[in-house]
Amino acid sequence: MNDAVTGAILILFAIAVILHAQTFPRLHGQDYGPDLFPTIIASGLILCGAILVGKGWATRREGQLVLLGPWARDRRMRLNVALLVAGVLAYILFANVIGFIPLSFVILAVLTVRLGASPLAGLATAAAATLVIHTIFAKLLLVPLPWGLLLPVAW
């Protein structure tokens, strides 16, 4: 894929993040709120996307903005990409109902086993990664992750 296409997608994503971050509730008595960090990161992504667009436009070949590599003809690789996209969509759609911990565990377990880990190693890695991510975001950074099904036992 030409860098111009990747850059344009990155810019669109960053704009969506900024627009969504503006809907976050403001903190009373503060000049900045929870929208600040996502807006800063997304602004950096816009800059990176613009650089990619410029680079891609300068090096483009006529009519070839997207050229599929050999991986796109490999059924296993296409399935890996589909599972990754399905995991992201599942999190977006079901995180509030199912909760971060169970959903993250399932997504990570499926992906690690699919990408070559043994089932036991995949489950252990998924459990450890889920707990580390939850601890960092929910406990240290105070990001409210959804509890979903685990709300009765939330700590």
Side-chain angles (χ1 to χ4, degrees), residues 85-104:
V85 172
V88 171
L89 289 175
Y91 186 82
I92 291 169
L93 296 173
F94 304 116
N96 288 333
V97 175
I98 297 173
F100 173 81
I101 292 174
L103 193 55
S104 173

Side-chain angles (χ1 to χ4, degrees), residues 63-122:
Q64 284 192 327
L65 289 178
V66 176
L67 179 63
L68 296 178
W71 71 268
R73 293 184 227 12
D74 184 350
R75 189 173 146 243
R76 287 183 43 85
M77 293 295 185
R78 287 195 314 264
L79 181 58
N80 291 346
V81 171
L83 284 173
L84 179 64
V85 172
V88 171
L89 289 175
Y91 186 82
I92 291 169
L93 296 173
F94 304 116
N96 288 333
V97 175
I98 297 173
F100 173 81
I101 292 174
L103 193 55
S104 173
F105 174 76
V106 169
I107 291 169
L108 290 173
V110 167
L111 290 175
T112 54
V113 170
R114 172 67 189 162
L115 295 175
S118 70
L120 184 59

